[in-house]
Amino acid sequence: MTSLRSRVVSALTLIFVLGASALAAGPTVSLAVDATEAPRKIIHAKLRIPATPGTLTLYYPKWLPGEHAPTGPVIDLTGLKFAASGKALKWRRDLLDGWTINVEVPAGENEVLADLDYVEPATLEQGFSSGSSATDKLLVLSWNQVLLYPKGWKSDDITFTASLKIPDGWKYATSLPVSNANGSDVHFSPESLTMLVDSPVLTAQYLKVVPLTVGPEPSAELDVASDSAAALEPPQEIWDRYKNLVTQAGALFGAQHYRHYHFLYTLSDHVAHFGLEHHESDDSRVSERGLVDETERKLTASLLSHEYVHSWNGKYRRPAGLATPDYQQPMQSDLLWVYEGLTEYLGAILTARSSLWTPDQFREYLADVAADLDHVPGRNWRNLQDTADTAPQLYFAPHYWYSWRRSTDFYDEDTLNWMWVDAIIRQQSKGKKSLDDFCKLFHGAPGGPPGLKTYTFEDVVNTLNQVAPYDWRGFWTERLTNHGPGAPLGGIEETGWKLGYDDTPTDYFRSDERDHGEVWEMYTVGLRLREEGGVVDTIEGMTAAKAGIGPGMRIVAVNGRHFSAEVLHDAIKAAKGTTEPIELLVENTDYYKTFKLNYHEGEKYPHLVRDEAKPDLLSDILKAR
Ligand SMILES: [Zn+2]
């Protein structure tokens, strides 16, 4: 708790408007990107970089905003060559940092031409923006992947004049202002490096633009690209719900920090699935049937809400330690419980306020989140703060040993914690105030073009106190440093609900389980399995772990019958109230063994149950404004 405070009190609050290129103090780099070979998964780029004789140090963007980690895909930077006045130049990589390139510039030269290629993953690779991004029909272009920038300047101070050639017949969408476009040749207005990297381009054969606002700026639109035309035709009411999302976010925050917002939504089974926030757009990617299939839609309903909230919480208001001057300086992730945790909570409630989820679906989602966190014995050694502090590594942790290692829990656990904050504000103010008031104060007026206002732990506590006086420092210190044993369920309980279990899975639970290709018995015997029986995780202290089963093993048979999800579920049901153990035949590193599970409590699936002793604040929280 002292380290948390000592780390933040010295930081300054900085407010400035980003990227007015006319005022930029640094060099102007021109960048011509040729994406016509995107279906072959190779992107070509040429740069013209001002230089002086001697060593020119160039950086390939390493720490990417929103990814909170050194994920710049330098291994996919290929075809790198430099020239001046038609002669090839010598270059060598820095021995201590693979993202730094030193080029020898001869006397008399004032400009270096760089040629480079970015090679896309050739098979489906998950991950963030460096995961799969190109198919036969579409491409998400992240500018940071196709550029180098000179050392010695902030990204705000370097101007880039970019152009992009896209495959014939493809359309494009981006928040980057266009100066002129001629067919598949697009030229963009000069922008700071900051705003260029913050403005990816979605280009595709099948791309649909849906306006989400009417009337004056700031406006918003949904740009959806897919591998097929059919995937772009959900029922009309789906578009209406995304219109609601813009209205509801406007009502929540009271002001916008963008000129025009583009939801860039990619529907493909051949790209990485994730969402990445920007000031004036988001790069969100789900499966091809993500809009037209009802189940897929339900499971991914909160993605665009989450990324949209980031325009306020994460881009405009950003922890001081994440607001680095360029992509080379490491980021400090200790306040991700605000950056990501509050975004996850607000994204979820806006999903319900926009009717993208029904209140029932919201509660089914929340029950899953709470039950999952209530079965994380890793909190015994790692507190919530450490999940944020170690985020740059934890994002890339395998699923094996998930519950003992802990994951990036500052998303889900802080959903519960910010709900708790919402409940406390409502109680302390006798119903006059809510977390919405915090959002207006912290993220709202005056609004305008993209800006950045940094904050510290103190600023969060002070603004909460402005909304409703309370021991917020004590609240957050406890939430961030305690070791459980269980999940923080106070928010659910104070909003009038309880986490309970019965023998019937919710729709959301079963859909989510199938979508993961897994079999979930976490809350009964403590097993999370692949569909074919491979053990992904065993929860320390629960029946399967105590019997001797561990991640990496494979369940071959249940009570003598070949393993399947149904066979396991049936065996757990049948053992209820008996004294006969469930027998699992398990393969481990070529050896077979039988393990006996003495578990007799039957199936357990999480639900939220109404607590009539308390007012139903949750239903108020979820109501459209
Ligand atoms: Zn996020």
Side-chain angles (χ1 to χ4, degrees), residues 571-602:
I572 286 173
K573 249 182 253 170
K576 186 176 183 179
T578 72
T579 53
E580 286 299 298
I582 302 161
E583 277 197 4
L584 300 183
L585 176 63
V586 173
E587 184 198 355
N588 182 23
T589 59
D590 300 339
Y591 285 88
Y592 289 80
K593 249 185 230 172
T594 299
F595 294 90
K596 292 186 177 186
L597 303 188
N598 275 300
Y599 174 81
H600 305 287
E601 293 169 36

Side-chain angles (χ1 to χ4, degrees), residues 66 68 275-277 306-307 310 313 339-341 343-344 395 411:
H68 321 307
L276 180 60
E277 63 275 20
H306 176 107
E307 304 309 336
H310 270 317
N313 188 49
Y339 184 121
E340 294 295 358
T343 299
E344 190 77 353
Y395 275 111
Y411 286 83

Side-chain angles (χ1 to χ4, degrees), residues 275-583:
L276 180 60
E277 63 275 20
H278 302 288
H279 282 279
E280 300 188 305
S281 64
D282 67 286
D283 168 8
S284 295
R285 316 182 190 178
V286 300
S287 62
E288 182 174 339
R289 311 288 292 172
L291 273 183
V292 293
D293 181 274
E294 202 182 327
T295 302
E296 291 289 307
R297 215 162 52 217
K298 175 178 61 190
L299 292 174
T300 55
S302 64
L303 179 62
L304 296 195
S305 327
H306 176 107
E307 304 309 336
Y308 187 40
V309 166
H310 270 317
S311 179
W312 290 265
N313 188 49
K315 303 307 292 191
Y316 170 52
R317 293 311 308 266
R318 200 178 314 165
L322 287 176
T324 49
D326 69 358
Y327 312 102
Q328 189 63 15
Q329 186 173 311
M331 294 175 179
Q332 294 176 42
S333 53
D334 54 311
L335 285 170
L336 282 179
W337 55 273
V338 188
Y339 184 121
E340 294 295 358
L342 177 57
T343 299
E344 190 77 353
Y345 175 63
L346 296 176
I349 64 174
L350 283 175
T351 304
R353 288 181 189 178
S354 316
S355 304
L356 285 157
W357 272 338
T358 63
D360 265 344
Q361 287 171 333
F362 176 92
R363 287 192 295 266
E364 291 185 3
Y365 143 82
L366 196 63
D368 274 15
V369 165
D372 188 38
L373 289 165
D374 215 23
H375 291 79
V376 174
R379 74 174 64 248
N380 170 270
W381 70 270
R382 190 200 285 277
N383 62 31
L384 182 60
Q385 180 65 63
D386 192 58
T387 70
D389 295 350
T390 194
Q393 292 78 42
L394 267 188
Y395 275 111
F396 305 95
H399 289 143
Y400 298 102
W401 290 109
Y402 158 87
S403 63
W404 184 239
R405 176 186 291 112
R406 294 199 75 170
S407 184
T408 50
D409 289 353
F410 47 86
Y411 286 83
D412 283 348
E413 189 153 328
D414 282 305
T415 296
L416 302 185
N417 287 333
W418 282 102
M419 173 176 274
W420 202 343
V421 169
D422 208 347
I424 294 170
I425 294 174
R426 286 159 192 264
Q427 288 164 348
Q428 294 297 110
S429 67
K430 308 220 181 323
K432 288 193 191 73
K433 299 270 178 75
S434 73
L435 193 68
D436 292 33
D437 295 280
F438 172 85
C439 292
K440 282 191 187 67
L441 266 179
F442 200 71
H443 304 99
L452 169 59
K453 186 174 174 185
T454 62
Y455 63 83
T456 62
F457 180 86
E458 298 300 309
D459 296 322
V460 176
V461 165
N462 291 342
T463 310
L464 284 169
N465 273 321
Q466 251 178 283
V467 177
Y470 187 72
D471 179 18
W472 294 114
R473 177 187 312 285
F475 174 87
W476 278 114
T477 301
E478 168 62 18
R479 297 276 49 87
L480 292 164
T481 59
N482 82 83
H483 287 279
L489 300 177
I492 291 176
E493 288 161 11
E494 294 306 317
T495 56
W497 295 78
K498 278 182 182 161
L499 176 64
Y501 296 85
D502 67 19
D503 56 10
T504 312
T506 62
D507 268 358
Y508 192 92
F509 182 97
R510 258 315 170 243
S511 307
D512 202 16
E513 179 190 34
R514 291 206 178 110
D515 194 62
H516 277 79
E518 295 187 349
V519 181
W520 290 347
E521 287 291 355
M522 283 94 83
Y523 316 133
T524 54
V525 294
L527 272 177
R528 180 176 160 190
L529 308 169
R530 298 292 305 162
E531 268 166 353
E532 76 288 354
V535 179
V536 178
D537 197 24
T538 49
I539 296 176
E540 293 298 279
M542 291 186 71
T543 312
K546 285 204 280 195
I549 298 172
M553 300 182 188
R554 185 171 63 91
I555 298 179
V556 180
V558 181
N559 291 337
R561 185 167 181 196
H562 192 280
F563 172 84
S564 74
E566 291 71 24
V567 166
L568 178 63
H569 293 319
D570 287 349
I572 286 173
K573 249 182 253 170
K576 186 176 183 179
T578 72
T579 53
E580 286 299 298
I582 302 161
E583 277 197 4

